[in-house]
Amino acid sequence: MAKNYSERPSMRYDANGRLVKGKSSQSGLTRFLLGFLIPYVVINGLILLFVIQAPSIDASEPDTKDYQNAEVSFKVSSLIPVKSVTASIEGQPVELEKSGKTYKCILTENGNLTVTAVAINNMTKSSHIQVNLLDETNPVIDEESVVLGAGYLEFIVSDTQSGVDWDSIYAVDSLGNNLKPTDINRTTGKVTFSMAADSIVVYVKDLAKNEAQASFAVN
């Protein structure tokens, strides 16, 4: 019986007589990579990025010009849209002014400012900014420096934040006279009053308008 050579698989050879292999396995792998694996990885990577992406908050140091108001600005950045940005100081809401991605607020008290940004995927980022540069304390009249002599009063006053408002210093004596200092040494802080009555009340403000008062009397 004659052999049927038509059942043999066809083979191709190049010009040098080398067998040329088929590309079916390579093309199948390429189709798998381009048609399934790579799109799968990219799509799931984007989904994961969307799910875990949280905003970032970059805040500047608080600044003040008068020690009564502090300005705080911060920038909110996110790869996905931000749903809300809020701020509060010691639990009290703070009004924000927005300009692009930058937010600004004006504070009138010291405390812990909390800024919270929420993205549309509900991922939240909070930042805490300590504000302590506002002057909320009165000037200090040094009791140990007080000299109550015959017809005069001397004392030293200081303020470590905004500074003493030297022009604000005055006194009222027991006779009802409104008195201004006879001498002020702004370097040492020594203040001198002439005193004709037997008692006097002194008033001193700092540049943030905090006021201290002290009473002195001749024994």
Side-chain angles (χ1 to χ4, degrees), residues 105-219:
C105 62
I106 304 297
L107 304 175
T108 58
E109 60 181 297
N110 292 321
N112 184 31
L113 177 68
T114 301
V115 177
T116 302
V118 182
I120 60 172
N121 61 355
N122 288 325
M123 290 295 287
T124 301
K125 175 68 175 181
S126 293
S127 180
H128 301 280
I129 306 165
Q130 190 64 38
V131 180
N132 55 15
L133 74 172
L134 298 182
D135 189 350
E136 297 178 333
T137 59
N138 298 333
V140 176
I141 297 175
D142 184 4
E143 295 182 358
E144 295 184 357
S145 70
V146 175
V147 177
L148 192 57
Y152 73 95
L153 167 69
E154 289 181 353
F155 59 86
I156 292 176
V157 63
S158 62
D159 189 277
T160 58
Q161 283 193 283
S162 62
V164 176
D165 183 357
W166 302 106
D167 295 332
S168 74
I169 301 175
Y170 74 100
V172 178
D173 65 17
S174 57
L175 300 176
N177 297 313
N178 195 309
L179 308 174
K180 295 295 287 184
T182 56
D183 184 65
I184 296 177
N185 187 324
R186 301 191 180 195
T187 302
T188 63
K190 180 183 285 187
V191 179
T192 304
F193 280 94
S194 292
M195 185 174 171
D198 57 1
S199 65
I200 189 172
V201 180
V202 175
Y203 301 87
V204 183
K205 289 183 179 180
D206 60 22
L207 294 174
K209 307 306 180 185
N210 302 304
E211 186 176 67
Q213 71 177 64
S215 300
F216 305 96
V218 177
N219 294 328

